[in-house]
Amino acid sequence: MDHKDKPATIAAHAAGAIDPQSGGVVPALQPSTTFLRDEGYNLVRPDNLYSRPDSDNLRQAEEVIRRLEGAEETMLFPSGMAATAAVLQTLPNAAHVVVQAGIYYGTTAWVREFCTRRGLTLSEVPAEDLVAHCRAHRADLVHIETPSNPWLKSVDIAAVKAATGGILVVDATAATPILTRALDFGADIVMHSATKAINGHSDVLAGVLSTRDASSPVWKTIRNDRKMAGAILGPFEAWLLTRAMRTLPLRVERMSWNAQRLAEFLLAHDQVADVFYPGLPHHAGHAIAQKQMTGGFGSLMSVLVKGDRERALAVTGKLRLFLSATSLGSVESLVEHRHTIEPHTGIPENLIRVSVGIEDIDDLTADWAQALA
Ligand code: PLP
């Protein structure tokens, strides 16, 4: 594998992962938790002692993501939340944390609880105010999400990096490493819920962190904690991820293409009040998204249907191809009535979050047409 290979090539070849033992062109799944020593008590493979620190399958999946991100080092975790927690847990007591407001609610809820418990100062700052806030206030860590879930706000990664002296963590789940390489824009650490598009088949829970500077104190602590405290992804999940990522660029391209068409269709529909999607010119974050996203604007959008909660629920109930289920970034389209999940956060009752899959766009638009009729 040439290190100048493009993302589609890196992904299709799983960054060169094969099975040297059998000659298989796909890597073997190795579930062993413990590894042999020879007569001299030397490990048969010096890097394989016990599977808590890592495993061949984990390293293979990490190498694909590392290459896609242009990172120095990548680490997988058992969920997106475990990855986010791994970063925040490195902070000293009394640290000041800035977290973008209105992001994935699971992150907000945990960060609030964690900061209270640990005595950290937390500022929740709207996407639009992040740069000014970071210029005016010292922070140890700034956590942003772009595009955000479910508001689809875009945040200028480079501008936030220039405004803060703190560690900048970017949750780029909705963008994927295919559309945005957050490290190139100045993120110190980029995080993804690999449960979403990176895996893309709704059958693996995983999270991932990548960095430009594997020798930074924070990264070393994260690495040490993962190794010693064991927040590790199992080999089967890692193997499935490697398999799924072979088609990641293709899936993201198709999902983004479908999403752009669906967003345009819905915005023009007389039963729709608004559509939040970074690929729409009227969207507030469109200019930033154009700068930061290459090859499309992702598969996530939110739709405000005309009417109230009952109308929104009636529409989700009538959709046939958009399955009513949480999560995003998979090959099958999903919808979620987000207010049902987070009723106290100001989510409009007529908002339907949409994750667009790889189905035929004509079928997808026809499904919405019948559900809105
Ligand atoms: N970040 C974003 C943007 C998400 O949408 C999610 C899950 O929905 C997470 C993080 C958490 O990831 P996981 O469910 O893999 O823990």
Side-chain angles (χ1 to χ4, degrees):
M1 295 285 293
D2 182 333
H3 279 255
K4 291 193 185 64
D5 285 338
K6 300 267 193 317
T9 310
I10 296 166
H13 282 258
I18 54 163
D19 178 26
Q21 211 168 5
S22 69
V25 298
V26 297
L29 169 60
Q30 177 47 269
S32 190
T33 53
T34 189
F35 295 86
L36 279 176
R37 290 174 182 273
D38 63 18
E39 317 83 72
Y41 215 65
N42 298 310
L43 285 165
V44 172
R45 273 264 311 272
D47 51 348
N48 280 347
L49 179 146
Y50 186 58
S51 68
R52 190 192 318 114
D54 62 14
S55 66
D56 279 4
N57 292 118
L58 197 67
R59 285 186 282 258
Q60 283 151 2
E62 286 172 347
E63 179 61 7
V64 178
I65 301 172
R66 189 191 71 75
R67 297 268 309 272
L68 292 176
E69 295 281 21
E72 191 176 344
E73 197 169 305
T74 291
M75 276 190 273
L76 278 161
F77 291 82
S79 69
M81 285 311 302
T84 295
V87 184
L88 274 117
Q89 278 160 354
T90 65
L91 290 173
N93 290 346
H96 180 208
V97 180
V98 172
V99 174
Q100 183 182 330
I103 57 170
Y104 168 58
Y105 185 61
T107 304
T108 306
W110 181 78
V111 169
R112 281 179 189 163
E113 205 187 296
F114 177 74
C115 288
T116 306
R117 182 164 19 109
R118 280 276 309 278
L120 309 190
T121 319
L122 172 64
S123 305
E124 293 184 38
V125 181
E128 300 77 9
D129 304 338
L130 274 166
V131 172
H133 182 95
C134 288
R135 250 187 229 132
H137 301 91
R138 194 194 66 79
D140 296 287
L141 183 140
V142 179
H143 177 106
I144 63 174
E145 187 180 288
T146 184
S148 68
N149 167 16
W151 292 97
L152 283 304
K153 303 256 174 157
S154 299
V155 178
D156 188 327
I157 301 168
V160 176
K161 180 62 192 169
T164 183
I167 299 154
L168 178 59
V169 183
V170 178
D171 180 339
T173 298
T176 79
I178 303 303
L179 303 179
T180 301
R181 294 201 339 178
L183 300 176
D184 292 352
F185 292 95
D188 295 298
I189 296 176
V190 57
M191 174 266 160
H192 296 270
S193 165
T195 315
K196 314 302 187 215
I198 289 183
N199 181 59
H201 295 75
S202 300
D203 54 10
V204 171
L205 196 71
V208 64
L209 300 175
S210 302
T211 186
R212 297 183 275 134
D213 181 7
S215 59
S216 74
V218 166
W219 190 261
K220 282 185 181 159
T221 308
I222 296 170
R223 192 200 292 127
N224 202 48
D225 277 356
R226 189 185 73 158
K227 182 176 170 190
M228 298 183 73
I232 201 82
L233 187 74
F236 182 47
E237 283 78 8
W239 186 87
L240 279 174
L241 262 189
T242 302
R243 183 182 201 271
M245 286 189 293
R246 290 177 189 272
T247 56
L248 174 62
L250 267 181
R251 287 186 277 111
V252 169
E253 188 185 325
R254 173 62 171 257
M255 282 154 55
S256 300
W257 190 88
N258 274 354
Q260 183 73 37
R261 262 95 251 114
L262 183 70
E264 288 165 6
F265 169 83
L266 290 172
L267 189 64
H269 199 286
D270 64 3
Q271 292 301 307
V272 169
D274 205 353
V275 179
F276 306 147
Y277 184 64
L280 293 173
H282 84 295
H283 184 68
H286 182 60
I288 297 172
Q290 272 185 313
K291 195 175 77 171
Q292 271 175 195
M293 302 179 85
T294 307
F297 296 95
S299 57
L300 187 67
M301 70 182 74
S302 288
V303 181
L304 294 179
V305 294
K306 284 187 182 161
D308 55 9
R309 172 191 183 83
E310 278 59 46
R311 170 67 175 150
L313 288 171
V315 171
T316 60
K318 278 172 82 180
L319 285 165
R320 184 178 65 89
L321 296 174
F322 289 78
L323 308 178
S324 279
T326 197
S327 205
L328 51 114
S330 198
V331 290
E332 73 285 349
S333 294
L334 300 175
V335 285
E336 181 168 61
H337 184 246
R338 203 58 208 166
H339 186 270
T340 302
I341 304 292
E342 43 174 316
H344 318 298
T345 63
I347 299 288
E349 297 198 44
N350 60 336
L351 182 144
I352 302 174
R353 193 186 70 187
V354 185
S355 174
V356 183
I358 62 167
E359 302 93 333
D360 190 291
I361 186 60
D362 292 341
D363 292 337
L364 297 181
T365 47
D367 197 25
W368 272 91
Q370 65 80 23
L372 287 167

